[in-house]
Amino acid sequence: SQTIHQWPATLVQPVGSPLSLECTVEGTSNPNLYWYRQAAGRGLQLLFYSVGIGQISSEVPQNLSASRPQDRQFILSSKKLLLSDSGFYLCAWKGSFYGYTFGSGTRLTVV
Amino acid sequence: AQSVTQLDSQVPVFEEAPVELRCNYSSSVSVYLFWYVQYPNQGLQLLLKYLSGSTLVKGINGFEAEFNKSQTSFHLRKPSVHISDTAEYFCAVSDMDSSYKLIFGSGTRLLVRP
């Protein structure tokens, strides 16, 4: 069966520090992968999506970047975090029949 | 471009009462529509989805939604809510022309009171 793993679950980072969040998918190949951010009390904003290895589409210009070094690995990064980067980050993949599955999320607090 | 509007940021309701959470979308092509639920500090769980066929879609936990193309709506309903239904509910839209991106509304917090 297909599963999606996202870590860490929580993270507290100082302003100006780097960031790396990882998402991996098991049980499928060549999935569409997505990174979303949910700011406190707000909806989900699509940040990046990828339809294949090395292919990244950015939805919102910002302090973040994404990479897909392997078929089932999707990484969200930042060189220098800002306070406004705080939020709940969710990874997702699109399976067959439009079954979008979400990871359990990472709660990032930038202090 | 796609967009989703959830007009109600919060809906308070008493236990065992019916509830409707509203969702309207805009898209220039055929769409696929979804409702997700999020419990505190958790990821998203799919409640139901409309891809094609019958406009009345039944999901988990007793929820259902009706696709209305003329009104571009996909409202979520439940005839009798429980305390455990208290959560954030998100409507989302996707279409083939946008690389299957899933675009979300701002969410509606359902607050069920005893």
Side-chain angles (χ1 to χ4, degrees):
Chain A
S1 63
Q2 302 96 344
T3 56
I4 182 168
H5 301 280
Q6 193 178 341
W7 67 92
T10 59
L11 192 59
V12 180
Q13 292 284 99
V15 169
S17 65
L19 173 73
S20 180
L21 302 181
E22 189 163 344
C23 171
T24 59
V25 181
E26 295 179 358
T28 187
S29 60
N30 197 32
N32 284 12
L33 296 172
Y34 308 83
W35 276 111
Y36 287 86
R37 176 172 62 197
Q38 184 178 26
R42 302 180 66 179
L44 290 100
Q45 179 185 36
L46 178 62
L47 302 176
F48 302 94
Y49 69 96
S50 171
V51 299
I53 296 175
Q55 189 281 329
I56 305 293
S57 296
S58 175
E59 287 294 294
V60 182
Q62 58 208 322
N63 186 42
L64 302 170
S65 62
S67 62
R68 186 168 176 175
Q70 300 180 40
D71 181 43
R72 290 169 287 178
Q73 184 184 31
F74 204 23
I75 298 173
L76 183 69
S77 304
S78 173
K79 292 182 179 178
K80 289 185 178 182
L81 284 169
L82 305 172
L83 286 174
S84 58
D85 292 324
S86 293
F88 191 49
Y89 289 82
L90 287 160
C91 179
W93 71 281
K94 188 187 85 63
S96 59
F97 300 106
Y98 298 91
Y100 294 86
T101 301
F102 286 80
S104 54
T106 295
R107 174 76 59 193
L108 172 66
T109 304
V110 182
V111 297
Chain B
Q2 309 157 298
S3 68
V4 178
T5 302
Q6 291 181 249
L7 292 171
D8 305 305
S9 59
Q10 182 166 303
V11 173
V13 63
F14 288 107
E15 193 174 18
E16 298 183 4
V19 70
E20 178 181 84
L21 305 184
R22 296 182 293 169
C23 172
N24 289 88
Y25 69 91
S26 67
S27 175
S28 58
V29 298
S30 296
V31 296
Y32 309 108
L33 295 158
F34 306 79
W35 275 100
Y36 284 86
V37 61
Q38 184 182 35
Y39 298 101
N41 294 314
Q42 294 187 25
L44 297 177
Q45 181 182 14
L46 179 66
L47 281 176
L48 48 79
K49 61 185 177 185
Y50 170 79
L51 303 182
S52 65
S54 173
T55 57
L56 183 62
V57 181
K58 293 190 181 298
I60 63 171
N61 301 342
F63 284 94
E64 63 180 32
E66 186 161 15
F67 171 57
N68 188 319
K69 188 175 182 179
S70 62
Q71 297 188 7
T72 60
S73 67
F74 191 55
H75 301 332
L76 182 71
R77 302 185 183 99
K78 186 169 183 178
S80 176
V81 296
H82 302 290
I83 296 288
S84 60
D85 291 324
T86 294
E88 191 86 18
Y89 291 80
F90 292 96
C91 181
V93 63
S94 177
D95 66 57
M96 197 183 311
D97 287 358
S98 62
S99 300
Y100 304 110
K101 294 181 293 185
L102 194 59
I103 305 300
F104 285 87
S106 55
T108 297
R109 176 157 179 76
L110 176 63
L111 181 58
V112 182
R113 297 166 173 167

